[in-house]
Every structure is written in C-alpha cells, then in structure tokens.
Amino acid sequence: MNKRLFLIYKIVSSYKTMVLLLLILAIGAAYGTFVENDFGSAIARELIYNSWWYELSLFFISINLISIVHKTKMYRVKARMVFHLAFVIILLGAFITRYFGTDGMMYIREGEKSNVIMVAENMLEVPFEIELNKFQITRYPGSRSPSQFSSHVTLIDEKNSNTFKTEISMNNTLSYKGYKFFQTSYDEDEKGTKLSVNNDPGVEVTYFGYALLFLSLILNLFNKKSRFQYLIRKVKNINITSFLLPLLLLLSNSPTYADENSYIQNYLIEHKENSKELADLFGTLVVQGPIGRMKPLDTQNREVLNKLTAKSSWQGMSANQVMLGMFARPSLWKKVDIIKVRTPKLRELLGAKKDQKLLSFVDFFDDNSTYKLTTLVEKAHKLVPSRRGTFERDLISVDERLNIAFMSYRGVLLTLFPLPDNERDKWVDFKTMFNMVKNSKIKRSTSRLLDAVYNRNYSKGFSYVEDIREYQNRYGSTVMPTNNRLSTELWYNQIDLFFKLSIIYLMFGIALLIYGISSILHNKIRTSNVNKAIYSVAFLLLSVHTFALALRWYIGGYAPISNTYETMTYISYSAVLAGVLFLRNSTLALSASFIMAGIFIFAAYLGEIDPEITNLVPVLKSYWLSIHVSVITASYGFFGVGAVIALITMVLYILRDTKRPYLDEHIKQLTFITEITLILGLTLLVIGNFLGGIWANESWGRYWGWDPKETWAYISILVYVIVLHIRLLKDIYTPFLFSVLSVLAFSSILMTYFGVNFYLAGMHSYATGDPVPIPTWVYIIGGIVITMILIAYPKKNLKEKNEKN
C-alpha cells in the first residue's frame, strides 16, 4: 500500500506530469478557439472549456503544483512558493464562482421597476427592486457614436426600508447585498436599459489570489535565491563585441505616372507643383470626423488617403493635395488610379492586370454605369465574418474604399462648417452648409475657393481658406481643440516619427548584430568607450520613442494603446526598454531588442493596420484599460527579444566548430540572457492577463469569457511556462533545445496578436469552398527557422550544470 501511494505521489509530483498537463490545457484551449470559430461559443464551452475533462485537468494541475511545492521544499524560497500556490487559490476562487455564483441579465424600461434576473432560461427574483428613472446617452460632437451611456435608477428595498438613487454606467457599477449591476447595453429606442447582474461568492478568494500572485511575481525578481537573480549573476560581467553607428538618409520614392491621356497627366503635374501651399493651409482647418473627433483636416486627409491607397502620399503629392483635387475636380480624379485592390483575382474580375495594385473609380463600372461588384459584394456581406475568406474580405474592403472615394469626390467628409446654435454641436459639409447656413460671406468664400482650385489659380485661394477659419472660430469654438493641440497634431503628422524610428532601429540593430558576430568570431571584447557610445545611442533612441508616445497621448487624450497600430508601437517600445535596462551589456542581446522593435513598427505600416487616432468606445474609458493593455503588450516585446536572441544563438551553433571552442561560452551566455527576457516577459504577461480579469469583472461582471483573444493569451502563458520549466527535465534539456523552443513559442504570441484578428476568422472561403491560402511570408519565415534549426542542430550538445536554481 505504501509503495502504491509512493508511486502515485511520485507521478503526481513529477515535472513530466506538469508539462503533460500544461500541454493538455494549451492544446485543448487552442482547439477550442477553432471550434468556436466554426460552431460558436456555446459548442466550444460544452465540448472544451466547461467539459469534465478540461476541469479535471485544471484540478490535477492544482494537485501537481501543491505536490511539487512539497517535494522540492519550495517554502525555502517564499516568493517562489507563494506565486505557485497563488494559481491554486485563483482556481479555487474560479470554482466557487462557477458553481455557487449567479450571472444573468435584468431588463428595465423607463418608469418601470424590476426585481427579476434572467439566468440562462430561468428567472431569479432578488429581494429588492430597481426602478429606471431615465436612460441617458452622451454622444461625441456631431456624431451618433456613444461617448457614454448610463442608467439613472432608484433602488427600493422595502423590507429594510432602504431607498436611494444612483447612476449605473460603463465602469461605474451598483453593488447591493452581494449583487453587482453593470451597464451592458440598451434598447433600440433608447428608452430601456440592459444590466448584467452577478452574485459572486468567490470574488474575495480570487482577488486574494491575484494579490498574492502579483506581489510574489514582482518580489521573485528581486529575491537573491530566485532563478532570475541567479541568471543575472551569470551574465553580469558579459563583455562582447564592438559597435558601429550607421547614419543613412531616408530616400523617398520617385513619382511615376500611369499611361493616361496627356490632359490628365499635365493637370496632375501642374497640381502637384503648384497646389502644395494652398493644400497645406487647407489642411490646417478643423474638421469634425465621422465619429465626432475634432482634428486638423490634414489628419483626416491622411487617414482617407491611407484607406484608399494604403499610403500617406500619392505620386509625390501630399494627402491634402489629393483630397483638395478630388473634391474640386471629381470628374477628372475618377479616372485616376487611386483605389487599392489587394487580391489578383479581384483585379482580373475588374479587367485590370494581376499586378496592377491601384485602380480608378471608373474601372468599377461598365459602359452602362453599372457597378460590377454588386452581386459579389452582396454575397460577401451575407456571409458571417468567420466564413469570409481573403477574397471576400478584399471585396468588402474595396467596396468600402469605393464609397470613401465617392464621398471624397462629393466633399461629404469635409465637415468644416459648424451649424450655429446647434444643440449637438454638429458640423456639416459644403453642400449641407449651402442649404442650411444663412451666411452669405462663407458661401461666397467657399464658392470662390473651389473655383480657384478648379481653374488652378491656387494663389487666389488663401484668403478664402482664412474666411472658413474665421467662421469656424466664431461658431464652433466650444468643441474646437486648442491652437496648441492643433499645431502639435499637424507637426506630429509631418515628422512621421514612428516610421523613421523603425528604419533607424533596424539599421542600428543589424549593424550591432553584424559587428557583434564578427567580434565574437575574432574573440574581441568591447572597450569602455564603445560601451558608453552604444548605451548613449540606445538611450537617445529610447528617449525619442518615449517622446513620440507622449505626443500621441497628448493629441488623442488617452494612453496610445487602444488599437493595433498603437499597441505595435508600444510593443516595440517595450523591446527597446528591455534592451536598455536589462541587456545593454550584451551587444547581441541589444541588437535583438532593436531589430525586434524595428520589425514591429515597420509591420504597423503594412497590411490593413490603421494608424488613425479615434475616440474611445465607452467600455474602454477605464483606467484598467491603460494598466492591463500596457502591461500585457509590454510582455510581447520581451518575448520577441528572446526569440531573436535565440535565433542568434542558433547562428552561433552553425558557426561552432573545434577551431572556435570559445563559442560555447557565448552560447551559454546568450541562453541565460534569453531565459532572463522570457522570465520578464512571462511575469508581465501573467500580471497583464489577470489585470484584464479584474478589468472585465469590474466593467461587465465576468473575469473570463473564453474570447479567442484572451484564450490565446492564456495559451501563450502555458506555452512559456513549459519553455521555462523544460530545464527541469534533465534527460532531454540542452541549451539548443531551449533556443529552439524559445523561437517556436513566439508563434503563440503572433497568433494572439495577429492570428486571432486577421486569420482565425477566415480560415476558409465559403464562397468558393476553397481554403484560404496562408500568407507567403509565413512560409518564408517558417522555412528559414526550420532550416536554421536543422543546420544548427549540434553534433555535441552543451549541458548546463545541475545547479540548485
């Protein structure tokens, strides 16, 4: 009996058992995201997330953690013990919430009361009533987009003679007798509210687990007995390589013109050469964007041109020149190739060449002025988003670009004119202004401005632009940004700091990489002067990046981490921050930081990523957003740096031979550095993920919804836990295996960040039944990595000494 118990204990407390359970949880969750994509969240929950086998796996991993803590006497390093046991406490809180909590919806119309919560298909009565006095929506100026919505309610508890009025809104909840009410949605007529309600007996246990986890993870980084501090001591005295700072000027593309008739070509040349000053002045006017953000027209023009062409300029013309020309001479500009089409199949359907990326507005219509894509676009829209393939998504995007182009030709987007004494502070376009505004001066000035541009008498238009500015200041000053903010945004648009940083980062990182490897091969060390120069340049670039982020924060009025473009610039910032703070003593590690940063910012300017600064939707107006997103995206930078350092390590494996025995020591050092970056990344990812749980619970009453985005973040945690614990499997661990896993693990981050948004929702084209082709760059990168692994596979492995840490 004792032998059986000992055998069970040995299996339960085994590291191999831990890795196996983590793999089951990760693979199961990953499979669940694809099940949800194809069959819906209810099926995914039934088959995976809420299934008996998945919950049993979570129970077993808890037992495994407790057993390992006991077996390894982890209490000797208290921070390490606490953050391992914190996961068990969090799972216990989740168990209490799931099986003993209540989660439902309450629907109330204005002037009515309710004490009924709909839980699934059942009704639950609470011992008090909520009366909706008024439902209120605040919108952005001149827009239908909600800025905030709230329910003004009265809580009536007759049993306890307690009645009070309060307001429930996004990120502002009502708590009473264990129940929490969250503003979720509202009725279409805006006369009723929808409140999510929960009663969570496990919240104290869960939050206690969160607090222990956050505190112990941070303390672990500073504990002298921790693995992190052990690795820091190992790499403290690294001295590798020399330094070269390249200074290259950015080259602009030479403009080229398509084969058009001579009149259009001559017009475009003249417009390009003579309209710039007037167009730039025109761009300084204030415009009210489609969702209510007040901004310089220059910003909107750049956004529109970026949507049309995926570029910030066209044929050497600025966005202001293009937009001014499109409105003033629409019939001519409709014949100009300015609308982006991504898929060769769609280009062929429109009668263009496969390699012709830009088409004209008239290319989309036949000789009878019939829109060629009507039927295809209707079919694409009828498909649910998860069933749209690359072709269907391009169809919908092109249709949107065509509509944007049409609105640009008609000037619909040029909402430059505030309506006097309008309650909603609405601004209107040229045509609406002529119909609704009784101001002869502004009508006369706008007509003459358009005439001047149409007749190419650009010098006559300056005074008319100033007349429009005077009108804006007189009737729209209450919602206009300050002059300082406007001028700052115009300057931000012109300098294009982030793109220039991406080029400098890549050049600096590649130069350090080349000279780093070269110096290793010659077994050179870095002098103190070179060391100071490298750090000075790195710190200068980090300072510029910090300034760029602060500038965007000032312009938008919120932390710049609310969309894909902003988070990519922030991830690159965290990569550089990791290099400057933790990896500056190793040139190769520092080069990896800057290469990863450059790649992320450069990628932000590719594809369908939109750099537009927008207004926040109500649920994002929370301080939890800034904390959660900033921490979790910062971890991606550390993981990216770790992956690049691991790739560099594999390069050293390729160069390794008997004539260079000293390479083995460099490989070990880089392996230590990789592990340091992954530990920091995992610490941030775990803290950021659970901060997201707090945000979700405080905003709409649930910690976790198994949304594909959050599920893949959870999978990434499991993957990196496996990578960092693989060293405990002594019979298979080698530095080479660790480097390979560090590279491959980054694919989970790419899936979390890109895959869920851009590929998971379109794995097959249901219009044709064909699978959507995986992007070429995925094959290229995958092929390079696999080739490197095969070439680098060592004939003789390095073994890490069996250290206690």
Side-chain angles (χ1 to χ4, degrees):
M1 185 70 177
N2 290 334
K3 289 184 178 179
R4 290 181 180 177
L5 289 175
F6 177 75
L7 180 60
I8 292 173
Y9 175 75
K10 188 176 180 180
I11 294 173
V12 169
S13 61
S14 167
Y15 293 126
K16 291 181 179 177
T17 301
M18 177 190 69
V19 171
L20 177 62
L21 288 170
L22 291 172
L23 281 171
I24 291 173
L25 292 172
I27 294 171
Y31 179 64
T33 61
F34 290 93
V35 171
E36 178 179 356
N37 182 67
D38 291 337
F39 303 104
S41 58
I43 300 297
R45 288 173 182 271
E46 180 182 350
L47 296 180
I48 316 288
Y49 307 131
N50 295 343
S51 65
W52 65 268
W53 64 268
Y54 202 83
E55 293 189 353
L56 193 63
S57 298
L58 290 170
F59 172 74
F60 281 146
I61 197 69
S62 300
I63 300 300
N64 175 257
L65 280 174
I66 295 171
S67 301
I68 289 176
V69 168
H70 177 266
K71 177 183 177 180
T72 60
K73 299 180 180 179
M74 203 178 289
Y75 54 82
R76 294 174 179 174
V77 186
K78 289 184 173 55
R80 186 187 302 171
M81 178 192 71
V82 171
F83 82 69
H84 280 83
L85 292 180
F87 287 105
V88 179
I89 296 173
I90 291 169
L91 287 173
L92 175 62
F95 173 81
I96 295 172
T97 298
R98 171 161 163 69
Y99 288 100
F100 300 98
T102 301
D103 187 12
M105 294 289 297
M106 179 179 282
Y107 305 92
I108 321 175
R109 298 286 294 176
E110 280 188 356
E112 297 181 359
K113 305 174 185 177
S114 177
N115 69 334
V116 177
I117 302 173
M118 298 299 299
V119 181
E121 297 180 356
N122 303 315
M123 292 195 308
L124 175 69
E125 292 188 359
V126 295
F128 52 87
E129 291 182 312
I130 302 289
E131 180 181 4
L132 179 62
N133 303 317
K134 183 180 180 181
F135 181 78
Q136 185 176 20
I137 297 182
T138 304
R139 304 183 189 278
Y140 286 107
S143 169
R144 297 296 296 171
S145 301
S147 171
Q148 185 66 278
F149 48 90
S150 58
S151 301
H152 297 267
V153 302
T154 301
L155 186 142
I156 306 168
D157 185 354
E158 294 181 352
K159 184 177 181 181
N160 294 292
S161 301
N162 188 15
T163 301
F164 61 87
K165 293 184 178 181
T166 187
E167 179 183 348
I168 305 172
S169 62
M170 281 291 182
N171 306 307
N172 181 40
T173 61
L174 165 64
S175 298
Y176 189 74
K177 287 195 172 182
Y179 290 92
K180 293 187 75 172
F181 296 81
F182 306 84
Q183 182 67 67
T184 301
S185 186
Y186 51 89
D187 295 342
E188 289 186 6
D189 63 359
E190 301 177 8
K191 297 294 183 180
T193 189
K194 299 177 182 179
L195 306 174
S196 60
V197 189
N198 76 13
N199 185 347
D200 183 4
V203 65
E204 289 84 4
V205 177
T206 301
Y207 280 3
F208 177 66
Y210 286 178
L212 288 179
L213 179 64
F214 298 162
L215 181 63
S216 55
L217 279 173
I218 294 170
L219 290 177
N220 185 65
L221 297 178
F222 300 96
N223 191 308
K224 292 181 179 179
K225 295 181 180 180
S226 69
R227 174 73 179 177
F228 182 77
Q229 285 295 326
Y230 163 76
L231 294 168
I232 290 293
R233 290 193 295 272
K234 282 283 188 180
V235 303
K236 189 174 182 181
N237 296 317
I238 294 178
N239 287 304
I240 309 177
T241 83
S242 186
F243 155 82
L244 176 68
L245 175 65
L247 293 174
L248 297 176
L249 296 175
L250 296 177
L251 301 177
S252 57
N253 293 327
S254 300
T256 57
Y257 294 98
D259 292 331
E260 301 167 340
N261 64 61
S262 58
Y263 177 78
I264 294 177
Q265 187 172 354
N266 290 335
Y267 163 80
L268 291 174
I269 293 173
E270 186 176 349
H271 185 71
K272 173 190 170 184
E273 294 176 350
N274 300 330
S275 68
K276 189 174 189 325
E277 290 186 11
L278 177 62
D280 287 346
L281 184 67
F282 186 61
T284 63
L285 295 173
V286 177
V287 66
Q288 188 176 77
I291 59 174
R293 188 171 97 83
M294 309 302 298
K295 55 192 173 183
L297 180 58
D298 175 83
T299 298
Q300 178 169 287
N301 289 341
R302 289 170 184 266
E303 292 165 357
V304 171
L305 187 62
N306 186 64
K307 289 181 183 294
L308 292 177
T309 67
K311 302 288 183 182
S312 58
S313 62
W314 179 84
Q315 302 288 30
M317 296 185 208
S318 69
N320 293 322
Q321 289 177 282
V322 173
M323 292 302 115
L324 185 61
M326 288 177 70
F327 180 47
R329 302 288 298 267
S331 59
L332 186 148
W333 279 87
K334 285 180 181 180
K335 300 174 184 177
V336 174
D337 295 339
I338 203 168
I339 299 172
K340 179 86 170 182
V341 179
R342 297 184 185 279
T343 54
K345 180 180 178 181
L346 184 52
R347 294 169 192 160
E348 282 191 296
L349 284 172
L350 293 168
K353 297 178 181 178
K354 281 187 176 182
D355 58 350
Q356 185 179 340
K357 296 181 180 180
L358 296 177
L359 279 72
S360 67
F361 186 84
V362 297
D363 288 333
F364 292 85
F365 300 86
D366 60 22
D367 294 337
N368 297 319
S369 300
T370 303
Y371 184 32
K372 296 178 182 178
L373 303 180
T374 300
T375 304
L376 290 172
V377 170
E378 287 177 356
K379 287 182 179 179
H381 275 292
K382 288 178 181 178
L383 294 173
V384 296
S386 62
R387 296 192 171 190
R388 292 173 188 160
T390 305
F391 176 71
E392 290 81 12
R393 291 200 298 274
D394 193 34
L395 262 175
I396 293 172
S397 296
V398 167
D399 185 64
E400 180 188 5
R401 291 186 198 109
L402 203 69
N403 284 318
I404 291 172
F406 182 68
M407 288 189 287
S408 299
Y409 297 133
R410 298 188 63 188
V412 174
L413 299 174
L414 298 176
T415 49
L416 302 173
F417 307 98
L419 292 177
D421 303 320
N422 184 268
E423 292 181 358
R424 290 172 50 203
D425 295 313
K426 186 175 179 61
W427 291 34
V428 297
D429 61 0
F430 283 75
K431 182 179 179 181
T432 308
M433 181 271 293
F434 275 102
N435 292 331
M436 298 182 66
V437 174
K438 297 178 180 180
N439 187 314
S440 58
K441 180 180 178 182
I442 192 64
K443 291 180 179 180
R444 184 170 58 252
S445 295
T446 50
S447 296
R448 290 176 178 177
L449 172 64
L450 294 178
D451 287 341
V453 177
Y454 182 89
N455 295 314
R456 287 171 273 180
N457 295 322
Y458 301 108
S459 60
K460 293 183 178 180
F462 293 95
S463 61
Y464 305 132
V465 173
E466 294 301 335
D467 289 341
I468 297 175
R469 192 190 317 280
E470 180 184 341
Y471 176 84
Q472 290 184 336
N473 290 327
R474 182 177 180 182
Y475 295 104
S477 59
T478 56
V479 294
M480 285 178 63
T482 63
N483 289 332
N484 187 48
R485 181 165 289 187
L486 287 171
S487 59
T488 301
E489 185 164 353
L490 287 167
W491 183 68
Y492 170 84
N493 292 340
Q494 292 168 4
I495 59 176
D496 203 8
L497 252 182
F498 284 116
F499 183 76
K500 292 175 181 176
L501 269 177
S502 71
I503 302 299
I504 295 172
Y505 280 167
L506 287 171
M507 292 191 301
F508 184 53
I510 292 171
L512 289 179
L513 176 64
I514 293 172
Y515 279 83
I517 293 177
S518 174
S519 297
I520 285 178
L521 294 178
H522 293 88
N523 204 23
K524 294 180 180 178
I525 62 173
R526 195 167 68 188
T527 65
S528 59
N529 289 335
V530 171
N531 207 27
K532 290 178 182 178
I534 291 176
Y535 183 71
S536 297
V537 174
F539 183 78
L540 176 63
L541 292 175
L542 176 64
S543 300
V544 173
H545 200 146
T546 304
F547 173 73
L549 288 174
L551 204 61
R552 192 171 173 99
W553 191 331
Y554 172 71
I555 293 167
Y558 57 86
I561 45 176
S562 65
N563 58 40
T564 303
Y565 174 85
E566 290 176 343
T567 53
M568 289 184 76
T569 60
Y570 183 76
I571 289 171
S572 66
Y573 179 74
S574 69
V576 174
L577 191 67
V580 172
L581 294 184
F582 301 103
L583 310 175
R584 61 180 180 272
N585 289 329
S586 168
T587 303
L588 290 181
L590 194 60
S591 73
S593 300
F594 280 95
I595 289 172
M596 179 54 60
I599 289 172
F600 260 94
I601 299 182
F602 191 78
Y605 285 85
L606 303 176
E608 300 177 0
I609 298 172
D610 191 350
E612 179 181 357
I613 299 174
T614 62
N615 290 321
L616 289 178
V617 296
V619 74
L620 297 183
K621 292 184 174 181
S622 168
Y623 60 88
W624 288 112
L625 167 74
S626 300
I627 301 173
H628 157 60
V629 177
S630 62
V631 172
I632 205 169
T633 51
S635 71
Y636 299 166
F638 283 86
F639 289 134
V641 172
V644 174
I645 296 173
L647 278 171
I648 294 172
T649 305
M650 284 195 278
V651 172
L652 295 187
Y653 267 105
I654 295 173
L655 299 174
R656 180 173 173 242
D657 59 31
T658 54
K659 295 180 180 179
R660 303 188 186 99
Y662 51 83
L663 286 183
D664 288 356
E665 186 59 31
H666 290 304
I667 289 172
K668 287 183 179 179
Q669 296 285 2
L670 287 178
T671 303
F672 291 148
I673 294 173
T674 302
E675 191 173 349
I676 288 172
T677 62
L678 297 193
I679 290 174
L680 288 169
L682 185 59
T683 299
L684 291 171
L685 182 59
V686 170
I687 292 175
N689 221 40
F690 285 103
L691 282 173
I694 295 174
W695 174 38
N697 191 50
E698 294 300 317
S699 294
W700 52 82
R702 65 151 178 86
Y703 308 93
W704 197 262
W706 294 109
D707 172 83
K709 194 81 169 178
E710 62 189 17
T711 300
W712 271 98
Y714 156 71
I715 293 167
S716 296
I717 290 175
L718 298 177
V719 167
Y720 277 100
V721 168
I722 293 172
V723 173
L724 285 171
H725 286 80
I726 201 71
R727 64 184 177 81
L728 300 175
L729 304 183
K730 302 297 183 182
D731 50 341
I732 66 170
Y733 175 79
T734 65
F736 178 76
L737 175 63
F738 180 76
S739 296
V740 171
L741 293 178
S742 299
V743 174
L744 298 180
F746 193 61
S747 61
S748 68
I749 298 296
L750 294 177
M751 183 64 186
T752 304
Y753 194 73
F754 292 109
V756 171
N757 291 342
F758 299 110
Y759 301 111
L760 186 60
M763 296 301 294
H764 292 83
S765 172
Y766 282 77
T768 62
D770 299 326
V772 173
I774 297 174
T776 305
W777 64 265
V778 175
Y779 288 111
I780 294 173
I781 294 176
I784 292 172
V785 171
I786 292 173
T787 302
M788 286 185 65
I789 292 173
L790 294 174
I791 295 174
Y793 186 80
K795 296 178 181 178
K796 181 181 179 181
N797 286 321
L798 294 170
K799 284 282 186 179
E800 184 181 29
K801 291 182 180 179
N802 190 8
E803 304 276 1
K804 290 184 179 181
N805 287 292

